[in-house]
Every structure is written in structure tokens, then in C-alpha cells.
């Protein structure tokens, strides 16, 4: 694995959204929460909207070719604006009511959220996902934020990846008619300041 990982810019977002749409094409949560009608287009647009929000209020990391993407939001990030929320609701279509009824455990107060992590299917298995996630975790640790990082995943294979990064499962929630969601948390770790 020789890809360089860096902070994304607005110019990276279209490619990054395409990568995430490919990565989440058969992901249990997105298959359940996004209508089958025009699913690939809806999924890519949702990824672009969420990435734009994360770029404005958090940290988005990509490999130079945007074939691996991770987005992190701080615990105090604002909710998406009304226009963005309205478009998100439209894209979820007839799945919106079921999605809004989901009750997941609350994240620890102030915790960052690993909002998304995806690798293009053609590049899976070479360590890009671990590398881009680890780069984000390191950035947050180095910031000195004491609140740790939380995430949810609906793919058990991801649990092992996150455990290697120091996350532990804090809850498992079965969504009626939908996927199992694993909530995970990683406490903050102090890193020595280089100087």
C-alpha cells in the first residue's frame, strides 16, 4: 500500500462520493435505508451531501486517488441545515419513516463520530481502509480532544477492523426488518507532543 493520505478538498468530493457509493452498494444499512428505485444514484448523492457537511464541520481524509475515504465529525458539529435535511429526506423516500423510527444508543457526550469509511471495491484488501481510518484517529488523538471517537457499523467484518484501531463494541441493536447495528467507541489517547 503506497497511497498518500491527505485532507480532502471540495474538488475531491465527487470522486470520494463515487468511491463511497461503490463501497456501500451492498452494505446492509444503505440497502435497508435507501429505496431500491434508482438506488445507485440516491446513494451517491447522499454520500456527496454527507461528505460536504463533514468537510465543512469536521475532517475528511482521502487517498490521492480518492479510492479510500474517511469522514469524522466532532461532537459539537451542527446538524445539517434545513435545505440539506430536506434533500436527504427526499433521497430516503419511502424509507424515511422507518429510518426516523430507529433508536440507537446515544454516543458518549462530546465524542467525535467516525461518520463514514469506505474503500472502492477494486482496492479492497490492501490496507487502505485501515490506513485512512488510522490517520483520522491519529489526527483526533493529536488534537488533544478528550472525548474519544464513536461509530456505528452494520457489517460484522468491519468490527474486526475497528477493534484493531482500539474501538470496542458498546451495543448491538437489531433494527426491525433491517440490519444489526454495532455501536463502537474508542477512548481518547494522549500522544506525546513532538517538539
Amino acid at each position: 500500500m503506497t497511497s498518500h493520505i491527505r485532507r480532502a478538498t471540495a474538488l475531491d468530493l465527487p470522486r470520494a462520493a463515487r468511491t463511497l457509493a461503490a463501497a456501500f452498494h451492498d452494505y446492509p444499512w444503505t440497502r435497508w435505508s435507501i429505496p431500491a428505485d434508482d438506488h445507485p444514484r440516491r446513494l451517491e448523492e447522499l454520500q456527496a451531501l454527507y461528505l460536504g457537511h463533514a468537510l465543512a464541520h469536521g475532517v475528511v481524509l482521502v487517498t490521492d486517488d480518492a479510492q479510500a475515504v474517511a469522514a469524522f465529525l466532532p461532537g459539537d458539529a451542527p446538524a445539517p441545515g434545513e435545505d440539506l435535511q430536506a434533500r436527504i429526506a427526499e433521497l430516503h423516500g419511502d424509507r424515511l419513516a422507518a429510518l426516523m423510527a430507529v433508536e440507537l444508543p446515544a454516543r458518549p457526550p462530546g465524542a467525535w463520530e467516525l461518520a463514514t469509511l469506505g474503500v472502492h471495491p477494486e482496492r479492497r484488501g490492501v490496507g487502505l481502509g485501515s490506513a485512512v481510518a488510522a490517520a483520522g484517529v491519529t489526527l483526533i488523538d493529536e488534537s488533544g480532544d478528550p472525548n474519544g471517537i464513536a461509530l456505528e457499523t452494520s457489517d460484522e467484518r468491519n468490527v474486526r477492523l475497528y477493534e484493531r484501531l482500539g474501538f470496542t463494541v458498546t451495543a448491538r441493536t437489531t433494527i426491525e426488518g433491517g440490519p444489526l447495528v454495532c455501536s463502537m467507541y474508542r477512548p481518547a489517547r494522549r500522544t506525546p507532543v513532538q517538539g
Side-chain angles (χ1 to χ4, degrees):
M1 198 238 5
T2 59
S3 293
H4 177 253
I5 297 167
R6 59 178 172 77
R7 284 183 182 253
T9 69
L11 294 176
D12 295 308
L13 295 190
R15 282 190 310 164
R18 285 192 297 276
T19 290
L20 290 175
F24 289 111
H25 179 74
D26 289 322
Y27 186 64
W29 178 265
T30 52
R31 275 291 165 193
W32 174 79
S33 67
I34 300 171
D37 175 47
D38 209 10
H39 182 86
R41 183 197 59 80
R42 290 175 189 260
L43 176 57
E44 185 173 329
E45 186 176 343
L46 281 164
Q47 296 300 333
L49 294 173
Y50 289 132
L51 282 174
H53 182 71
L55 188 67
H57 301 287
V59 175
V60 178
L61 299 175
V62 294
T63 52
D64 280 332
D65 58 5
Q67 295 294 288
V69 183
F72 296 81
L73 284 167
D76 61 357
E82 285 183 30
D83 290 346
L84 184 54
Q85 287 188 40
R87 183 61 186 148
I88 289 168
E90 287 173 16
L91 290 166
H92 281 290
D94 63 3
R95 300 300 305 144
L96 184 63
L99 184 60
M100 297 302 289
V102 170
E103 291 186 25
L104 295 174
R107 293 186 186 102
W112 279 73
E113 175 191 6
L114 173 45
T116 193
L117 170 65
V119 176
H120 194 282
E122 294 176 357
R123 298 292 305 280
R124 285 186 184 147
V126 296
L128 291 178
S130 295
V132 76
V137 166
T138 299
L139 273 175
I140 294 166
D141 280 346
E142 289 175 348
S143 77
D145 188 294
N147 296 305
I149 307 167
L151 63 86
E152 286 91 29
T153 183
S154 60
D155 187 332
E156 281 287 338
R157 293 172 298 183
N158 294 343
V159 169
R160 290 185 294 281
L161 179 151
Y162 294 128
E163 286 175 339
R164 289 192 300 270
L165 294 171
F167 289 85
T168 57
V169 174
T170 56
R172 284 186 162 83
T173 306
T174 301
I175 307 300
E176 185 176 343
L180 172 73
V181 177
C182 297
S183 299
M184 302 187 75
Y185 177 69
R186 179 188 183 277
R189 296 188 183 160
R190 302 279 183 217
T191 57
V193 177
Q194 303 296 319

